Amino acid sequence: MSGNPDMTYAEVVEGRRSIRGYLDKPVPRDVIEDVLRLAMRSPSSMNTQPYHFHVITGDPLDRIRKGNTENILAGVPDSREFRRGEPFTGVHRDRQVGCAIQLFEAMGIERDDKEKRQDWVLRGFRQFDAPVCVIITYDKELSGSDDTPFDCGAVTTALVNAAWSRGLGCVINSQGIMQSPVVREHANIPDDQVIMKAVAMGWPDPDFPANPVKITRREVDEAARFVGFDD
């Protein structure tokens, strides 16, 4: 699927896709450190580099999976720390639904199959059963800055691309950090940091049906306006 360090940048970004099924195979720490080193070359506002990475595996990650799942099934309210805004509407909702349709079709999940649909949702709270989870946080003293989440988004994008270039797959998700007290406890995250995102990471399972799915992207002429160029 990936893993050729000689890939061009275009090959990385055009080949990368979100991976939601992983092999039961550990990821060496030195490989993750290499990925983080590459990711941290991403730009940040005035070089503030506001992000922290909490890289979790083994028993601590299993405890997070267990705590997340138990809380959700028990109806414990969402305690996500980074604001999520209002539910998507209009074209944004259409894209969200379109993504779900592509994935459900690949997985063979019918619209009225409540059991499979719930299991799919719970995969997110289990960090997609990946062998590694990276929790991205930022310094609480920067709360209120629009630059800070932008910078964290930039480094997270760089992280998943760097991982792909090293043969690893990732999926950025919010479900894994919606029960923030669980994550904070078992990842030992300091109180002076805000939990922003989770990234599941591991070796892609080539037999997992959703992994080959490439979610539809907009065309450049739909997303971009060019001003001052010759026709």
Side-chain angles (χ1 to χ4, degrees):
M1 277 184 155
S2 61
N4 179 358
D6 296 325
M7 281 192 292
T8 66
Y9 179 73
E11 288 171 334
V12 172
V13 298
E14 290 175 357
R16 187 212 64 81
R17 49 196 174 275
S18 294
I19 298 299
R20 296 173 172 86
Y22 298 88
L23 297 175
D24 184 14
K25 177 182 175 183
V27 181
R29 175 171 170 167
D30 63 332
V31 175
I32 301 172
E33 289 179 348
D34 182 41
V35 166
L36 293 176
R37 177 184 59 81
L38 290 172
M40 291 170 66
R41 296 302 304 168
S42 68
S44 62
S45 176
M46 294 172 282
N47 197 37
T48 50
Q49 303 178 65
Y51 41 76
H52 302 275
F53 306 102
H54 306 267
V55 186
I56 311 155
T57 192
D59 289 342
L61 181 51
D62 286 340
R63 290 195 292 270
I64 290 174
R65 296 189 223 275
K66 183 175 184 291
N68 281 349
T69 303
E70 288 178 348
N71 281 9
I72 288 302
L73 292 177
V76 176
D78 176 359
S79 55
R80 174 177 168 172
E81 296 179 8
F82 184 70
R83 62 187 180 184
R84 62 191 305 181
E86 297 298 320
F88 295 137
T89 59
V91 67
H92 305 102
R93 175 62 177 169
D94 292 342
R95 293 179 190 138
Q96 180 187 24
V97 171
C99 173
I101 289 173
Q102 285 185 263
L103 293 170
F104 284 4
E105 287 181 349
M107 295 295 297
I109 301 174
E110 300 293 339
R111 185 178 183 86
D112 59 352
D113 192 332
K114 294 182 180 179
E115 184 176 346
K116 284 188 177 180
R117 289 171 72 92
Q118 182 185 53
D119 181 68
W120 181 259
V121 170
L122 290 177
R123 289 183 65 83
F125 292 102
R126 300 197 310 263
Q127 314 289 5
F128 294 89
D129 300 324
V132 174
C133 177
V134 182
I135 305 295
I136 292 93
T137 68
Y138 60 85
D139 296 322
K140 188 173 290 185
E141 65 182 359
L142 296 173
S143 295
S145 165
D146 288 333
D147 286 328
T148 295
F150 183 90
D151 296 340
C152 289
V155 80
T156 303
T157 299
L159 187 156
V160 300
N161 284 334
W164 188 260
S165 77
R166 295 301 187 258
L168 293 164
C170 295
V171 60
I172 304 168
N173 82 94
S174 296
Q175 291 166 307
I177 48 85
M178 283 185 177
Q179 296 294 324
S180 60
V182 172
V183 177
R184 186 173 290 280
E185 175 186 358
H186 297 299
N188 196 26
I189 296 174
D191 291 338
D192 63 355
Q193 295 177 25
V194 176
I195 299 173
M196 180 173 181
K197 281 287 183 182
V199 177
M201 177 187 291
W203 307 108
D205 180 351
D207 297 324
F208 191 75
N211 281 349
V213 174
K214 296 195 75 172
I215 303 299
T216 304
R217 291 292 193 268
R218 300 160 69 190
E219 298 294 333
V220 171
D221 60 4
E222 180 188 359
R225 293 179 62 245
F226 294 87
V227 180
F229 289 83
D230 294 333
D231 292 337

